[in-house]
Amino acid sequence: IRFAHRRGVVVVAASGNEQMPQLAYPARAPGVISVGATTADRCLADYSNDGPKLDLVAPGGGADASLPNDPNCNPNRNLPDIYQMTFGNPYNPRKFGYPTDWYGTSMAAPHVAAIAAMVIASGVIGRHPTPDQVLAHLEATAQPLGGSKPNSDYGYGLVDAGAATAPSG
């Protein structure tokens, strides 16, 4: 169990955008769900940090990484943006929009945070689940990418909201 406490808050953080085989802080801190970024091709994004401690990936946009053994990766393709509703202008926080050319692990981490919240709210893993239980459930329901589960490029895989919130049984 990676969390040092039994009860607590689920913390999700971006792995970093430096193309490094290690996670940036706070994603590499104990008890934090670390999130890398994928592209529209379901390939690791070329900027995304990865490594053996990466938990999950989510859409972050950008170009595919050069992973020769991954058939999803096509680094020479021009990919569409992955849109996420957010503040379009930090000076006008009352206005939301779908800005273009925004990508990064900071765009991927909110996907995982939202799905974790949906898992907790839905009660699919019981009332008042621990952060450990939420992480284990997200990992178990993630779509595997890059071969074995887990692996240093994709962790346990692409977070899957439908699978994570589906009632068991």
Side-chain angles (χ1 to χ4, degrees), residues 16-83:
N17 299 327
E18 296 84 27
Q19 289 182 309
M20 301 286 292
Q22 69 179 17
L23 306 178
Y25 280 104
R28 95 179 187 206
V32 175
I33 298 175
S34 57
V35 181
T38 59
T39 67
D41 280 344
R42 297 168 49 102
C43 175
L44 186 70
D46 65 352
Y47 54 81
S48 185
N49 289 8
D50 57 9
K53 302 242 186 223
L54 183 68
D55 291 311
L56 297 159
V57 292
D64 287 352
S66 294
L67 300 176
N69 295 325
D70 189 330
N72 292 327
C73 296
N74 304 290
N76 297 323
R77 269 177 35 112
N78 187 8
L79 295 172
D81 289 334
I82 293 175
Y83 293 99

Short mmCIF file of all heavy atoms in Angstrom, two decimals, residues 16-83:
data_model
loop_
_atom_site.label_atom_id
_atom_site.label_comp_id
_atom_site.label_asym_id
_atom_site.label_seq_id
_atom_site.Cartn_x
_atom_site.Cartn_y
_atom_site.Cartn_z
N GLY A 16 4.67 15.76 -14.80
CA GLY A 16 5.66 16.72 -15.29
C GLY A 16 5.80 16.66 -16.80
O GLY A 16 5.46 15.65 -17.42
N ASN A 17 6.31 17.72 -17.38
CA ASN A 17 6.38 17.87 -18.83
C ASN A 17 7.81 17.99 -19.34
O ASN A 17 8.08 18.71 -20.30
CB ASN A 17 5.59 19.11 -19.26
CG ASN A 17 4.14 19.02 -18.90
OD1 ASN A 17 3.55 17.96 -18.90
ND2 ASN A 17 3.55 20.16 -18.56
N GLU A 18 8.75 17.30 -18.74
CA GLU A 18 10.15 17.44 -19.12
C GLU A 18 10.72 16.26 -19.90
O GLU A 18 11.92 16.19 -20.08
CB GLU A 18 11.02 17.67 -17.86
CG GLU A 18 10.73 18.95 -17.13
CD GLU A 18 9.57 18.83 -16.15
OE1 GLU A 18 9.29 17.73 -15.65
OE2 GLU A 18 8.90 19.84 -15.91
N GLN A 19 9.89 15.31 -20.32
CA GLN A 19 10.34 14.10 -21.02
C GLN A 19 11.34 13.32 -20.19
O GLN A 19 12.28 12.74 -20.71
CB GLN A 19 11.00 14.43 -22.36
CG GLN A 19 10.09 14.91 -23.43
CD GLN A 19 10.84 15.17 -24.72
OE1 GLN A 19 11.85 15.85 -24.75
NE2 GLN A 19 10.34 14.60 -25.79
N MET A 20 11.16 13.31 -18.89
CA MET A 20 12.10 12.65 -17.98
C MET A 20 11.56 11.29 -17.54
O MET A 20 10.34 11.13 -17.40
CB MET A 20 12.32 13.51 -16.74
CG MET A 20 12.86 14.89 -17.01
SD MET A 20 14.58 14.88 -17.46
CE MET A 20 15.32 14.37 -15.95
N PRO A 21 12.45 10.34 -17.29
CA PRO A 21 12.00 9.03 -16.77
C PRO A 21 11.84 9.03 -15.25
O PRO A 21 12.12 8.05 -14.59
CB PRO A 21 13.11 8.09 -17.23
CG PRO A 21 14.33 8.95 -17.24
CD PRO A 21 13.86 10.33 -17.64
N GLN A 22 11.43 10.15 -14.71
CA GLN A 22 11.11 10.25 -13.29
C GLN A 22 10.01 11.28 -13.12
O GLN A 22 9.83 12.15 -13.95
CB GLN A 22 12.33 10.62 -12.46
CG GLN A 22 12.82 12.03 -12.70
CD GLN A 22 14.02 12.37 -11.83
OE1 GLN A 22 14.67 11.49 -11.31
NE2 GLN A 22 14.31 13.64 -11.67
N LEU A 23 9.29 11.15 -12.03
CA LEU A 23 8.16 12.03 -11.78
C LEU A 23 8.61 13.31 -11.09
O LEU A 23 9.52 13.29 -10.27
CB LEU A 23 7.13 11.31 -10.90
CG LEU A 23 6.64 9.96 -11.42
CD1 LEU A 23 5.67 9.35 -10.44
CD2 LEU A 23 6.05 10.09 -12.79
N ALA A 24 7.95 14.40 -11.43
CA ALA A 24 8.18 15.67 -10.75
C ALA A 24 7.40 15.69 -9.44
O ALA A 24 6.46 14.91 -9.26
CB ALA A 24 7.73 16.82 -11.66
N TYR A 25 7.78 16.56 -8.54
CA TYR A 25 6.98 16.77 -7.33
C TYR A 25 5.84 17.70 -7.66
O TYR A 25 5.98 18.57 -8.48
CB TYR A 25 7.83 17.38 -6.21
CG TYR A 25 8.68 16.36 -5.51
CD1 TYR A 25 10.04 16.26 -5.76
CD2 TYR A 25 8.12 15.46 -4.62
CE1 TYR A 25 10.82 15.31 -5.14
CE2 TYR A 25 8.88 14.50 -3.98
CZ TYR A 25 10.24 14.44 -4.24
OH TYR A 25 10.99 13.50 -3.62
N PRO A 26 4.68 17.52 -7.10
CA PRO A 26 4.34 16.63 -6.00
C PRO A 26 3.94 15.22 -6.44
O PRO A 26 3.64 14.38 -5.59
CB PRO A 26 3.18 17.33 -5.32
CG PRO A 26 2.48 18.04 -6.42
CD PRO A 26 3.59 18.47 -7.37
N ALA A 27 3.93 14.91 -7.74
CA ALA A 27 3.47 13.59 -8.20
C ALA A 27 4.30 12.45 -7.62
O ALA A 27 3.80 11.35 -7.44
CB ALA A 27 3.48 13.52 -9.72
N ARG A 28 5.55 12.70 -7.31
CA ARG A 28 6.37 11.61 -6.80
C ARG A 28 6.36 11.51 -5.28
O ARG A 28 7.01 10.64 -4.70
CB ARG A 28 7.74 11.66 -7.43
CG ARG A 28 8.82 12.32 -6.75
CD ARG A 28 10.07 12.18 -7.64
NE ARG A 28 11.23 12.68 -6.97
CZ ARG A 28 12.29 13.13 -7.58
NH1 ARG A 28 12.34 13.13 -8.89
NH2 ARG A 28 13.30 13.57 -6.90
N ALA A 29 5.62 12.36 -4.62
CA ALA A 29 5.50 12.27 -3.17
C ALA A 29 4.67 11.05 -2.77
O ALA A 29 3.75 10.66 -3.50
CB ALA A 29 4.85 13.55 -2.63
N PRO A 30 4.97 10.44 -1.65
CA PRO A 30 4.18 9.30 -1.20
C PRO A 30 2.71 9.67 -1.02
O PRO A 30 2.39 10.77 -0.54
CB PRO A 30 4.80 8.93 0.15
CG PRO A 30 6.15 9.56 0.14
CD PRO A 30 6.05 10.78 -0.73
N GLY A 31 1.82 8.79 -1.43
CA GLY A 31 0.40 9.01 -1.24
C GLY A 31 -0.27 9.83 -2.30
O GLY A 31 -1.46 10.13 -2.19
N VAL A 32 0.45 10.20 -3.35
CA VAL A 32 -0.11 11.02 -4.42
C VAL A 32 -0.33 10.15 -5.65
O VAL A 32 0.54 9.35 -6.01
CB VAL A 32 0.83 12.20 -4.76
CG1 VAL A 32 0.33 12.99 -5.96
CG2 VAL A 32 0.98 13.12 -3.55
N ILE A 33 -1.47 10.28 -6.30
CA ILE A 33 -1.73 9.57 -7.56
C ILE A 33 -1.04 10.36 -8.66
O ILE A 33 -1.38 11.52 -8.92
CB ILE A 33 -3.24 9.44 -7.84
CG1 ILE A 33 -3.92 8.62 -6.74
CG2 ILE A 33 -3.47 8.80 -9.22
CD1 ILE A 33 -5.44 8.55 -6.87
N SER A 34 -0.06 9.74 -9.31
CA SER A 34 0.72 10.41 -10.35
C SER A 34 0.11 10.13 -11.72
O SER A 34 -0.26 9.01 -12.04
CB SER A 34 2.16 9.94 -10.31
OG SER A 34 2.24 8.54 -10.47
N VAL A 35 0.03 11.19 -12.55
CA VAL A 35 -0.66 11.10 -13.83
C VAL A 35 0.22 11.62 -14.97
O VAL A 35 0.67 12.76 -14.94
CB VAL A 35 -1.97 11.91 -13.81
CG1 VAL A 35 -2.71 11.79 -15.14
CG2 VAL A 35 -2.86 11.48 -12.66
N GLY A 36 0.44 10.76 -15.95
CA GLY A 36 1.12 11.15 -17.19
C GLY A 36 0.08 11.48 -18.24
O GLY A 36 -1.13 11.30 -18.04
N ALA A 37 0.55 11.95 -19.40
CA ALA A 37 -0.36 12.39 -20.45
C ALA A 37 -0.27 11.51 -21.69
O ALA A 37 0.80 11.05 -22.08
CB ALA A 37 -0.04 13.83 -20.84
N THR A 38 -1.45 11.31 -22.32
CA THR A 38 -1.52 10.62 -23.60
C THR A 38 -2.04 11.60 -24.65
O THR A 38 -2.57 12.65 -24.34
CB THR A 38 -2.48 9.41 -23.56
OG1 THR A 38 -3.78 9.86 -23.18
CG2 THR A 38 -1.98 8.34 -22.61
N THR A 39 -1.89 11.18 -25.90
CA THR A 39 -2.35 11.96 -27.04
C THR A 39 -3.67 11.38 -27.56
O THR A 39 -4.17 10.38 -27.04
CB THR A 39 -1.31 11.91 -28.17
OG1 THR A 39 -1.26 10.59 -28.68
CG2 THR A 39 0.06 12.34 -27.68
N ALA A 40 -4.17 11.98 -28.62
CA ALA A 40 -5.38 11.47 -29.26
C ALA A 40 -5.16 10.06 -29.83
O ALA A 40 -6.12 9.32 -30.04
CB ALA A 40 -5.84 12.41 -30.37
N ASP A 41 -3.91 9.67 -30.05
CA ASP A 41 -3.58 8.32 -30.55
C ASP A 41 -3.52 7.27 -29.44
O ASP A 41 -3.25 6.11 -29.71
CB ASP A 41 -2.22 8.33 -31.26
CG ASP A 41 -2.27 8.85 -32.66
OD1 ASP A 41 -3.37 8.94 -33.23
OD2 ASP A 41 -1.19 9.16 -33.21
N ARG A 42 -3.71 7.66 -28.18
CA ARG A 42 -3.55 6.76 -27.03
C ARG A 42 -2.09 6.37 -26.87
O ARG A 42 -1.75 5.28 -26.42
CB ARG A 42 -4.44 5.53 -27.13
CG ARG A 42 -5.92 5.87 -27.12
CD ARG A 42 -6.81 4.70 -27.49
NE ARG A 42 -6.50 3.49 -26.78
CZ ARG A 42 -7.18 3.00 -25.75
NH1 ARG A 42 -8.23 3.64 -25.31
NH2 ARG A 42 -6.82 1.87 -25.17
N CYS A 43 -1.21 7.27 -27.24
CA CYS A 43 0.24 7.12 -27.09
C CYS A 43 0.69 8.07 -25.99
O CYS A 43 0.06 9.11 -25.76
CB CYS A 43 0.94 7.47 -28.41
SG CYS A 43 2.75 7.46 -28.31
N LEU A 44 1.77 7.73 -25.32
CA LEU A 44 2.35 8.66 -24.36
C LEU A 44 2.71 9.95 -25.10
O LEU A 44 3.27 9.91 -26.20
CB LEU A 44 3.62 8.05 -23.74
CG LEU A 44 4.26 8.85 -22.62
CD1 LEU A 44 3.37 8.80 -21.37
CD2 LEU A 44 5.64 8.30 -22.30
N ALA A 45 2.39 11.08 -24.52
CA ALA A 45 2.73 12.37 -25.12
C ALA A 45 4.24 12.57 -25.06
O ALA A 45 4.89 12.16 -24.09
CB ALA A 45 2.00 13.49 -24.40
N ASP A 46 4.80 13.20 -26.08
CA ASP A 46 6.25 13.33 -26.18
C ASP A 46 6.87 14.12 -25.03
O ASP A 46 8.04 13.96 -24.72
CB ASP A 46 6.67 13.92 -27.53
CG ASP A 46 6.21 15.34 -27.76
OD1 ASP A 46 5.43 15.88 -26.96
OD2 ASP A 46 6.64 15.92 -28.78
N TYR A 47 6.13 14.94 -24.34
CA TYR A 47 6.65 15.76 -23.24
C TYR A 47 6.47 15.10 -21.87
O TYR A 47 7.07 15.51 -20.89
CB TYR A 47 5.93 17.11 -23.22
CG TYR A 47 4.43 16.96 -23.18
CD1 TYR A 47 3.75 16.69 -21.99
CD2 TYR A 47 3.68 17.02 -24.35
CE1 TYR A 47 2.38 16.50 -21.97
CE2 TYR A 47 2.31 16.85 -24.33
CZ TYR A 47 1.67 16.58 -23.14
OH TYR A 47 0.32 16.39 -23.12
N SER A 48 5.62 14.07 -21.78
CA SER A 48 5.19 13.52 -20.49
C SER A 48 6.33 12.81 -19.75
O SER A 48 7.02 11.98 -20.31
CB SER A 48 4.04 12.54 -20.69
OG SER A 48 3.55 12.10 -19.44
N ASN A 49 6.48 13.16 -18.48
CA ASN A 49 7.38 12.38 -17.63
C ASN A 49 6.74 11.03 -17.38
O ASN A 49 5.51 10.89 -17.35
CB ASN A 49 7.62 13.08 -16.29
CG ASN A 49 8.46 14.33 -16.42
OD1 ASN A 49 8.77 14.79 -17.51
ND2 ASN A 49 8.84 14.90 -15.29
N ASP A 50 7.57 10.03 -17.19
CA ASP A 50 7.08 8.68 -16.91
C ASP A 50 8.05 8.01 -15.95
O ASP A 50 8.88 8.67 -15.35
CB ASP A 50 6.91 7.89 -18.22
CG ASP A 50 8.19 7.80 -19.04
OD1 ASP A 50 9.27 8.19 -18.55
OD2 ASP A 50 8.12 7.33 -20.18
N GLY A 51 7.94 6.73 -15.80
CA GLY A 51 8.83 6.00 -14.91
C GLY A 51 8.09 4.95 -14.12
O GLY A 51 6.85 4.86 -14.19
N PRO A 52 8.82 4.15 -13.37
CA PRO A 52 8.21 3.02 -12.67
C PRO A 52 7.20 3.40 -11.59
O PRO A 52 6.40 2.59 -11.19
CB PRO A 52 9.40 2.27 -12.06
CG PRO A 52 10.53 3.23 -12.09
CD PRO A 52 10.27 4.20 -13.18
N LYS A 53 7.20 4.62 -11.13
CA LYS A 53 6.25 5.04 -10.09
C LYS A 53 5.01 5.73 -10.66
O LYS A 53 4.13 6.16 -9.91
CB LYS A 53 6.93 5.98 -9.11
CG LYS A 53 8.13 5.34 -8.45
CD LYS A 53 7.95 5.25 -6.99
CE LYS A 53 9.25 4.75 -6.38
NZ LYS A 53 9.08 3.78 -5.40
N LEU A 54 4.91 5.82 -12.00
CA LEU A 54 3.73 6.43 -12.62
C LEU A 54 2.51 5.55 -12.37
O LEU A 54 2.55 4.34 -12.57
CB LEU A 54 3.95 6.60 -14.13
CG LEU A 54 2.84 7.29 -14.90
CD1 LEU A 54 2.75 8.76 -14.50
CD2 LEU A 54 3.08 7.17 -16.39
N ASP A 55 1.40 6.16 -11.93
CA ASP A 55 0.19 5.39 -11.63
C ASP A 55 -0.71 5.23 -12.85
O ASP A 55 -1.09 4.11 -13.19
CB ASP A 55 -0.61 6.05 -10.50
CG ASP A 55 0.10 5.97 -9.17
OD1 ASP A 55 0.55 4.86 -8.81
OD2 ASP A 55 0.21 7.01 -8.49
N LEU A 56 -1.08 6.32 -13.50
CA LEU A 56 -2.08 6.30 -14.57
C LEU A 56 -1.74 7.35 -15.62
O LEU A 56 -0.92 8.24 -15.38
CB LEU A 56 -3.47 6.62 -13.99
CG LEU A 56 -4.02 5.65 -12.97
CD1 LEU A 56 -5.11 6.32 -12.13
CD2 LEU A 56 -4.55 4.41 -13.64
N VAL A 57 -2.40 7.25 -16.75
CA VAL A 57 -2.32 8.29 -17.78
C VAL A 57 -3.74 8.72 -18.15
O VAL A 57 -4.71 7.97 -17.93
CB VAL A 57 -1.55 7.82 -19.03
CG1 VAL A 57 -0.08 7.62 -18.72
CG2 VAL A 57 -2.15 6.57 -19.64
N ALA A 58 -3.83 9.92 -18.71
CA ALA A 58 -5.11 10.48 -19.16
C ALA A 58 -4.82 11.42 -20.33
O ALA A 58 -3.67 11.82 -20.54
CB ALA A 58 -5.78 11.22 -18.01
N PRO A 59 -5.85 11.80 -21.08
CA PRO A 59 -5.62 12.68 -22.23
C PRO A 59 -5.00 14.02 -21.82
O PRO A 59 -5.51 14.70 -20.94
CB PRO A 59 -7.02 12.89 -22.80
CG PRO A 59 -7.79 11.69 -22.35
CD PRO A 59 -7.24 11.35 -20.99
N GLY A 60 -3.91 14.35 -22.48
CA GLY A 60 -3.24 15.62 -22.22
C GLY A 60 -2.92 16.39 -23.49
O GLY A 60 -2.56 17.55 -23.44
N GLY A 61 -3.02 15.70 -24.65
CA GLY A 61 -2.77 16.35 -25.93
C GLY A 61 -1.32 16.36 -26.32
O GLY A 61 -0.47 15.80 -25.65
N GLY A 62 -1.04 17.03 -27.44
CA GLY A 62 0.32 17.13 -27.93
C GLY A 62 0.67 16.04 -28.91
O GLY A 62 -0.19 15.33 -29.43
N ALA A 63 1.96 15.91 -29.17
CA ALA A 63 2.48 14.95 -30.14
C ALA A 63 2.84 13.63 -29.47
O ALA A 63 3.17 13.58 -28.28
CB ALA A 63 3.71 15.53 -30.82
N ASP A 64 2.79 12.56 -30.27
CA ASP A 64 3.15 11.22 -29.78
C ASP A 64 4.64 11.14 -29.46
O ASP A 64 5.48 11.71 -30.16
CB ASP A 64 2.87 10.17 -30.86
CG ASP A 64 1.40 9.89 -31.06
OD1 ASP A 64 0.56 10.37 -30.28
OD2 ASP A 64 1.08 9.16 -32.02
N ALA A 65 4.96 10.38 -28.43
CA ALA A 65 6.35 10.06 -28.11
C ALA A 65 6.86 9.06 -29.13
O ALA A 65 6.09 8.37 -29.81
CB ALA A 65 6.44 9.49 -26.70
N SER A 66 8.16 8.94 -29.22
CA SER A 66 8.78 7.94 -30.10
C SER A 66 8.99 6.66 -29.30
O SER A 66 10.03 6.47 -28.68
CB SER A 66 10.12 8.46 -30.63
OG SER A 66 9.93 9.54 -31.47
N LEU A 67 7.99 5.83 -29.29
CA LEU A 67 8.07 4.53 -28.62
C LEU A 67 7.96 3.46 -29.70
O LEU A 67 6.86 3.09 -30.11
CB LEU A 67 6.95 4.38 -27.58
CG LEU A 67 6.92 5.40 -26.44
CD1 LEU A 67 5.71 5.19 -25.55
CD2 LEU A 67 8.20 5.33 -25.62
N PRO A 68 9.09 2.96 -30.21
CA PRO A 68 9.08 2.08 -31.38
C PRO A 68 8.27 0.79 -31.22
O PRO A 68 7.77 0.26 -32.20
CB PRO A 68 10.55 1.77 -31.63
CG PRO A 68 11.32 2.36 -30.52
CD PRO A 68 10.41 3.22 -29.70
N ASN A 69 8.11 0.31 -30.02
CA ASN A 69 7.36 -0.95 -29.82
C ASN A 69 5.89 -0.72 -29.50
O ASN A 69 5.18 -1.66 -29.16
CB ASN A 69 8.02 -1.78 -28.71
CG ASN A 69 9.40 -2.23 -29.10
OD1 ASN A 69 9.66 -2.52 -30.27
ND2 ASN A 69 10.30 -2.27 -28.14
N ASP A 70 5.43 0.52 -29.60
CA ASP A 70 4.04 0.83 -29.31
C ASP A 70 3.33 1.18 -30.62
O ASP A 70 3.58 2.23 -31.20
CB ASP A 70 3.94 1.99 -28.34
CG ASP A 70 2.53 2.22 -27.82
OD1 ASP A 70 1.55 1.91 -28.56
OD2 ASP A 70 2.39 2.73 -26.70
N PRO A 71 2.42 0.31 -31.09
CA PRO A 71 1.75 0.57 -32.37
C PRO A 71 0.83 1.80 -32.35
O PRO A 71 0.45 2.29 -33.41
CB PRO A 71 0.94 -0.71 -32.61
CG PRO A 71 0.75 -1.31 -31.26
CD PRO A 71 1.97 -0.93 -30.46
N ASN A 72 0.49 2.31 -31.17
CA ASN A 72 -0.34 3.51 -31.08
C ASN A 72 0.44 4.79 -31.34
O ASN A 72 -0.15 5.84 -31.54
CB ASN A 72 -1.00 3.62 -29.70
CG ASN A 72 -2.03 2.55 -29.46
OD1 ASN A 72 -2.70 2.11 -30.38
ND2 ASN A 72 -2.14 2.12 -28.22
N CYS A 73 1.76 4.71 -31.31
CA CYS A 73 2.59 5.91 -31.41
C CYS A 73 3.01 6.18 -32.85
O CYS A 73 3.62 5.32 -33.50
CB CYS A 73 3.82 5.76 -30.53
SG CYS A 73 3.42 5.64 -28.77
N ASN A 74 2.67 7.36 -33.32
CA ASN A 74 3.00 7.82 -34.67
C ASN A 74 3.57 9.23 -34.55
O ASN A 74 2.86 10.21 -34.80
CB ASN A 74 1.75 7.84 -35.55
CG ASN A 74 1.07 6.49 -35.59
OD1 ASN A 74 1.60 5.57 -36.18
ND2 ASN A 74 -0.08 6.37 -34.95
N PRO A 75 4.84 9.37 -34.17
CA PRO A 75 5.39 10.69 -33.86
C PRO A 75 5.36 11.69 -35.02
O PRO A 75 5.47 12.88 -34.78
CB PRO A 75 6.82 10.41 -33.43
CG PRO A 75 7.04 8.97 -33.50
CD PRO A 75 5.79 8.30 -33.94
N ASN A 76 5.19 11.22 -36.24
CA ASN A 76 5.19 12.14 -37.38
C ASN A 76 3.80 12.67 -37.74
O ASN A 76 3.67 13.48 -38.65
CB ASN A 76 5.81 11.46 -38.61
CG ASN A 76 7.26 11.12 -38.35
OD1 ASN A 76 7.97 11.86 -37.70
ND2 ASN A 76 7.69 9.97 -38.83
N ARG A 77 2.76 12.21 -37.02
CA ARG A 77 1.40 12.67 -37.30
C ARG A 77 1.14 14.03 -36.67
O ARG A 77 1.64 14.33 -35.60
CB ARG A 77 0.37 11.68 -36.73
CG ARG A 77 -0.02 10.63 -37.71
CD ARG A 77 -0.98 9.60 -37.13
NE ARG A 77 -1.95 10.04 -36.17
CZ ARG A 77 -3.25 10.09 -36.37
NH1 ARG A 77 -3.75 9.74 -37.53
NH2 ARG A 77 -4.07 10.45 -35.42
N ASN A 78 0.31 14.82 -37.33
CA ASN A 78 -0.16 16.08 -36.77
C ASN A 78 -1.50 15.79 -36.10
O ASN A 78 -2.48 15.51 -36.77
CB ASN A 78 -0.32 17.12 -37.89
CG ASN A 78 -0.65 18.48 -37.34
OD1 ASN A 78 -0.62 18.70 -36.14
ND2 ASN A 78 -0.98 19.39 -38.23
N LEU A 79 -1.52 15.81 -34.77
CA LEU A 79 -2.70 15.39 -34.01
C LEU A 79 -3.57 16.57 -33.62
O LEU A 79 -3.08 17.68 -33.38
CB LEU A 79 -2.27 14.65 -32.76
CG LEU A 79 -1.54 13.34 -33.01
CD1 LEU A 79 -0.98 12.79 -31.71
CD2 LEU A 79 -2.47 12.33 -33.65
N PRO A 80 -4.88 16.33 -33.48
CA PRO A 80 -5.78 17.39 -33.01
C PRO A 80 -5.57 17.65 -31.53
O PRO A 80 -5.06 16.80 -30.80
CB PRO A 80 -7.17 16.80 -33.27
CG PRO A 80 -6.96 15.33 -33.19
CD PRO A 80 -5.58 15.08 -33.75
N ASP A 81 -5.97 18.83 -31.10
CA ASP A 81 -5.93 19.15 -29.68
C ASP A 81 -6.92 18.28 -28.91
O ASP A 81 -7.90 17.78 -29.47
CB ASP A 81 -6.33 20.62 -29.45
CG ASP A 81 -5.28 21.60 -29.93
OD1 ASP A 81 -4.10 21.23 -29.98
OD2 ASP A 81 -5.66 22.74 -30.25
N ILE A 82 -6.67 18.11 -27.65
CA ILE A 82 -7.64 17.51 -26.73
C ILE A 82 -8.20 18.67 -25.93
O ILE A 82 -7.46 19.37 -25.23
CB ILE A 82 -6.98 16.46 -25.82
CG1 ILE A 82 -6.51 15.27 -26.65
CG2 ILE A 82 -7.94 16.03 -24.71
CD1 ILE A 82 -5.74 14.23 -25.91
N TYR A 83 -9.48 18.93 -26.10
CA TYR A 83 -10.09 20.09 -25.47
C TYR A 83 -10.59 19.77 -24.08
O TYR A 83 -11.11 18.70 -23.82
CB TYR A 83 -11.25 20.61 -26.33
CG TYR A 83 -10.77 21.16 -27.64
CD1 TYR A 83 -10.83 20.40 -28.80
CD2 TYR A 83 -10.24 22.44 -27.71
CE1 TYR A 83 -10.38 20.91 -30.00
CE2 TYR A 83 -9.78 22.95 -28.90
CZ TYR A 83 -9.85 22.18 -30.04
OH TYR A 83 -9.39 22.69 -31.22
#
